């Protein structure tokens, strides 16, 4: 294959310098994903699983491999605005790699300025930061490392469901601040036992959340455009809803796990949130833009929502004055759930596997594909609809100022 130029956008190194000190030695070795999908299988890796790979100096452990094959690799965190390194380097790039946590927004405008671009790899899951319609129209392959961090996200979602319902974050702050007023501490604290918990999207993450919530003795609900097998519904005692309105009306907690695509953009707006039970909770670890920004703020302020948590924002990074940073009764994290040190080892290996296939002219696994050959393909055909959801992403430049 002719020499390829690869541009890789990763988040900044730790403020205290790279490498960080690690809390644990190594990570467990997993044999396969739930359901049997095989783990990423590159011919080799040049990194230590469990070390920080997702920041610029970690470089997904790719540099030696890419350069030894005669290709070039540019790694940068500078991704937003016309003067960014990404914007300048993309013009003659063949491949772009980006992580959803620090997304390189590959808009139609940027695609138009990058005539050589043939492959966009998501080091993670969720390729909505690429204008998928423009990728379809330009015959650019878009792929991601399906399953690499699905369980990581499911764990985070369960943590945040419990944090909201039991009202953990204010209680923690009370302790740190030297207080002990129990009446204040429990004024918004409930048991989840007996509540109704629903997921929107019962794919890899949504199903893992349902399985993890089952032992809490809650009533479980789900909606998806693909119904789960009857045996799974029976084992978990699931109630299926053919539409999201029906689900939100009966649930106390709604956890969102569908991708962002034109069908789901701003799905949780004033109207849908207005149909929820007063005092419901939303956890959104899917994509920030599935929820309408001001509708969430308003619902928390009026008490229609008792709490909101998640780790996804729009755009990313969110401007310093993004209202979700300061709205009441939230338990947000930055976009971290899918980039634990454990997850990084899987998606770094998956990116290496994809690049090995690309350089050798071998097909990329079908389950990794989102767009190929001018169509949604593989996981993309199952879970997305055509179109673009990157509109407004240029607001990320406001984080810099
Ligand atoms: P998946 O493809 O296995 O599951 C997605 C499910 O959503 C599918 O079953 C699909 O049919 C369903 N769906 C699509 N459109 C829908 C709609 N309109 N209504 C209801 N259901 C719909 O993917 P996954 O691994 O479970 O990941 C889901 C999403 O989670 C990703 O696309 C990504 O946006 C997000 N994610 C976030 C992080 C993070 O770090 N926060 C990490 C990984 C994935």
């Amino acid at each position: 294959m002719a020499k390829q130029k690869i541009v890789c956008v990763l988040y900044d190194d730790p403020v205290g310098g790279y490498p960080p000190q690690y809390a644990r030695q190594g990570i467990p070795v997993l044999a396969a994903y739930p359901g049997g999908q095989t783990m990423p299988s590159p011919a080799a890796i040049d990194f230590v699983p469990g070390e920080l790979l997702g920041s610029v100096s970690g470089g997904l452990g790719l540099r030696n491999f890419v350069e030894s094959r005669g290709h070039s690799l540019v790694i940068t965190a500078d991704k937003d605005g016309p003067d960014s390194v990404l914007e300048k380097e993309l013009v003659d790039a063949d491949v772009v790699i980006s992580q959803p946590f620090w997304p390189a927004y590959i808009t139609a405008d940027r695609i138009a300025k990058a005539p050589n671009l043939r492959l966009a790899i998501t080091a993670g899951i969720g390729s909505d930061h690429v204008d998928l319609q423009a990728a379809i129209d330009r015959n650019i392959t878009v792929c991601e490392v399906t399953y690499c961090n699905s369980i990581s996200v499911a764990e985070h979602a369960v943590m945040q469901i419990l944090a909201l319902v039991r009202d953990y974050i204010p209680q923690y702050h009370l302790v740190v601040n030297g207080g002990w007023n129990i009446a204040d501490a429990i004024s918004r604290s409930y048991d989840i036992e007996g509540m109704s918990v629903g997921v929107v999207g019962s794919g890899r993450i949504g199903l893992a959340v349902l399985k993890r919530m089952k032992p809490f003795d809650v009533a479980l609900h789900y909606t998806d455009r693909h119904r789960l097998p009857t045996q799974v519904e029976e084992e978990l005692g699931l109630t299926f809803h053919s539409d999201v309105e029906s689900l939100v009306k009966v649930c106390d907690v709604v956890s969102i796990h569908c991708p962002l695509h034109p069908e789901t953009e701003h799905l949780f707006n004033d109207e849908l949130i207005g149909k929820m039970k007063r005092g419901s909770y939303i956890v959104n670890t899917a994509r920030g833009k599935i929820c309408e920004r001001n509708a969430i703020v308003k619902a928390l302020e009026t008490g229609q929502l008792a709490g909101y948590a998640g780790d996804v924002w729009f755009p990313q990074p969110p401007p310093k004055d993004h209202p979700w940073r300061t709205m009441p009764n939230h338990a947000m994290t930055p976009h971290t759930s899918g980039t634990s040190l454990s997850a990084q080892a899987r998606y770094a290996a998956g990116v290496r596997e994809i690049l090995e296939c690309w350089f050798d002219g071998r097909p990329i696994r079908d389950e990794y594909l989102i767009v190929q050959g001018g169509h949604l393909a593989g996981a993309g055909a199952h879970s997305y609809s055509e179109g673009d959801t990157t509109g407004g992403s240029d607001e990320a430049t406001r984080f810099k100022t």
Side-chain angles (χ1 to χ4, degrees):
M1 157 167 287
K3 182 176 168 170
Q4 301 275 289
K5 175 175 173 181
I6 297 159
V7 176
C8 181
V9 177
L10 299 176
Y11 47 75
D12 281 314
D13 281 354
V15 174
Y18 186 95
Q21 287 226 311
Y22 295 100
R24 293 176 56 80
Q25 290 183 321
I27 53 173
V29 177
L30 305 179
Y33 294 115
Q37 184 187 311
T38 53
M39 307 302 282
S41 50
I45 53 168
D46 299 326
F47 60 81
V48 178
E51 296 196 346
L52 177 61
L53 304 165
S55 73
V56 170
S57 295
L60 299 178
L62 290 174
R63 187 170 293 285
N64 287 347
F65 160 66
V66 170
E67 292 177 351
S68 71
R69 293 284 193 108
H71 306 299
S72 69
L73 179 65
V74 175
I75 304 180
T76 182
D78 185 17
K79 69 184 186 69
D80 296 309
D83 298 327
S84 61
V85 173
L86 169 65
E87 191 110 357
K88 288 178 188 147
E89 296 288 351
L90 202 60
V91 291
D92 58 351
D94 302 278
V95 178
V96 64
I97 303 171
S98 173
Q99 299 175 115
F101 327 103
W102 187 253
Y105 291 107
I106 307 299
T107 57
D109 189 41
R110 282 177 162 174
I111 286 177
K113 290 182 199 152
N116 298 347
L117 189 64
R118 296 290 319 286
L119 176 65
I121 304 174
T122 302
I125 304 173
S127 297
D128 50 276
H129 57 279
V130 179
D131 181 332
L132 295 181
Q133 191 58 52
I136 287 168
D137 297 343
R138 256 280 304 278
N139 196 12
I140 293 168
T141 297
V142 182
C143 59
E144 55 188 48
V145 188
T146 304
Y147 234 142
C148 66
N149 55 15
S150 300
I151 302 304
S152 324
V153 177
E155 291 182 3
H156 201 89
V158 170
M159 171 184 82
Q160 290 192 314
I161 291 170
L162 294 173
L164 283 184
V165 174
R166 300 208 57 90
D167 206 29
Y168 167 64
I169 309 280
Q171 295 170 31
Y172 170 78
H173 283 300
L174 190 134
V175 169
V176 170
N177 294 331
W180 195 261
N181 190 312
I182 306 286
D184 285 334
I186 51 76
S187 62
R188 301 179 64 85
S189 183
Y190 296 91
D191 294 352
I192 194 153
E193 183 183 26
M195 286 190 176
S196 291
V197 177
V199 301
V200 179
S202 56
R204 292 168 182 82
I205 300 174
L207 179 58
V209 168
L210 290 167
K211 286 182 178 168
R212 280 156 182 73
M213 290 309 298
K214 168 89 175 142
F216 285 95
D217 291 332
V218 292
L220 292 171
H221 300 254
Y222 80 101
T223 183
D224 195 303
R225 52 188 194 181
H226 305 284
R227 195 158 174 174
L228 289 165
T230 312
Q231 188 200 344
V232 175
E233 287 190 353
E234 285 173 2
E235 269 169 20
L236 298 176
L238 303 179
T239 303
F240 172 71
H241 297 260
S242 56
D243 59 66
V244 67
E245 286 82 5
S246 154
L247 176 123
V248 301
K249 278 181 192 163
V250 297
C251 285
D252 303 287
V253 179
V254 174
S255 195
I256 303 175
H257 300 294
C258 53
L260 171 62
H261 57 100
E263 266 174 35
T264 61
E265 185 171 7
H266 295 146
L267 179 65
F268 281 78
N269 54 15
D270 283 328
E271 193 187 343
L272 187 64
I273 295 170
K275 292 181 178 162
M276 299 180 79
K277 287 191 201 177
R278 186 172 170 79
S280 298
Y281 305 89
I282 294 178
V283 170
N284 177 12
T285 51
R287 283 296 177 261
K289 219 186 193 187
I290 295 172
C291 293
E292 206 276 305
R293 186 186 301 188
N294 293 332
I296 296 296
V297 177
K298 196 163 82 184
L300 287 170
E301 286 173 352
T302 61
Q304 174 62 11
L305 286 179
Y308 182 90
D311 68 329
V312 285
W313 306 64
F314 187 80
Q316 290 184 182
K320 303 251 162 60
D321 61 355
H322 192 294
W324 288 9
R325 293 180 187 271
T326 50
M327 62 192 179
N329 301 317
H330 83 78
M332 295 289 293
T333 60
H335 193 163
T336 49
S337 66
T339 184
S340 59
L341 294 169
S342 322
Q344 289 178 37
R346 292 187 291 272
Y347 65 70
V351 171
R352 166 94 179 237
E353 177 190 336
I354 290 166
L355 283 176
E356 286 177 359
C357 291
W358 185 254
F359 294 158
D360 297 347
R362 286 183 284 120
I364 296 165
R365 289 191 204 196
D366 197 50
E367 67 232 33
Y368 287 176
L369 295 175
I370 301 298
V371 171
Q372 193 177 50
H375 303 283
L376 293 174
H382 182 88
S383 293
Y384 284 76
S385 53
E386 291 188 359
D388 166 45
T389 54
T390 63
S393 54
D394 50 345
E395 196 201 1
T397 51
R398 285 189 47 230
F399 179 78
K400 288 182 174 175
T401 52

